[in-house]
Amino acid sequence: MRGIIVFALSNFTLTLFVIGLIFSGVGIARASRPLKAPVVVEKLFFWFIFFSIGVAYCYNGVFHIIGHEMAAALIGWADSPFQIELGFASLGIGLVGLIAPWKSIHMRFAVIVPTACFLWGAAGVHIHSMITEGNFAPGNAGVIFWTDIIVPIIGLVFLWLQHGYEKEGRSAAPYPNLIRIS
C-alpha cells in the first residue's frame, strides 16, 4: 500500500489525470440522453482543467515551495532558490486552473497556453539534463517528463474542439459565445 501511495504522490500528474477521467466518466454517465459530442468534450475538458492543471499545479507549487529539497532530489537537481520561484509560478497556474473550468473559452485559453509553454519548456530542460548530465531520475525522466509533453497536447485539442463547437453554436461549455460582434 505504501508503494502505491508513494507512486501516486510522486507521479501526481498521472494520478490527477486519471482522477479527472473518473470524474468525467461520472459526469458523462449522469448527462441527459441522447448524449452529444459537445457534452462529452465539455465533461472531459472541465475535469481535465480542474485536476490536470488546477489541482496538479497547486500541488506542484506547494511541493516546490515547502518541500523544495525533496523536489530537487526527486528531479535529480541540487536544491536552489529557483525551486521556490518555480513553486510560486506553479501555484499561480494551478489557481487559474481551479477557476477556469467554470469560465468561458477565453479563460480556458488563458490557462492552457501558459501551461503548455511551462510544461514544454520543462520537458526541454529535462531532455537537456538527460543528454548532458545523464540525469534519469524519476522526476526528470519518468512519468512527469511524459506528462509534461502530453498534458499540453490534450489541453490544446480540447480547446480546439470547444472552439469548433462554439463556432457552430453547439458548445456545452459555460458562457459560450461570451463576446459576439454582429
Side-chain angles (χ1 to χ4, degrees), residues 48 53 57 112-121 146-159:
F48 169 80
I53 297 175
Y57 287 91
I112 296 294
V113 171
T115 301
C117 291
F118 173 68
L119 293 179
W120 285 338
W146 292 105
T147 56
D148 282 355
I149 295 168
I150 296 167
V151 163
I153 293 169
I154 294 168
L156 290 168
V157 166
F158 282 142
L159 196 61

Side-chain angles (χ1 to χ4, degrees), residues 64-122:
H64 279 279
I65 294 165
I66 294 173
H68 53 90
E69 291 172 345
M70 189 183 338
L74 182 67
I75 300 169
W77 295 344
D79 188 33
S80 86
F82 290 110
Q83 293 287 45
I84 298 169
E85 289 184 22
L86 172 64
F88 282 107
S90 292
L91 187 59
I93 289 171
L95 292 172
V96 175
L98 293 176
I99 296 166
W102 284 273
K103 301 299 180 185
S104 72
I105 192 170
H106 305 97
M107 183 73 160
R108 291 172 176 200
F109 178 87
V111 76
I112 296 294
V113 171
T115 301
C117 291
F118 173 68
L119 293 179
W120 285 338

Side-chain angles (χ1 to χ4, degrees), residues 131-149:
I131 293 169
T132 62
E133 300 161 19
N135 179 358
F136 290 92
N140 193 64
V143 170
I144 299 290
F145 167 72
W146 292 105
T147 56
D148 282 355
I149 295 168

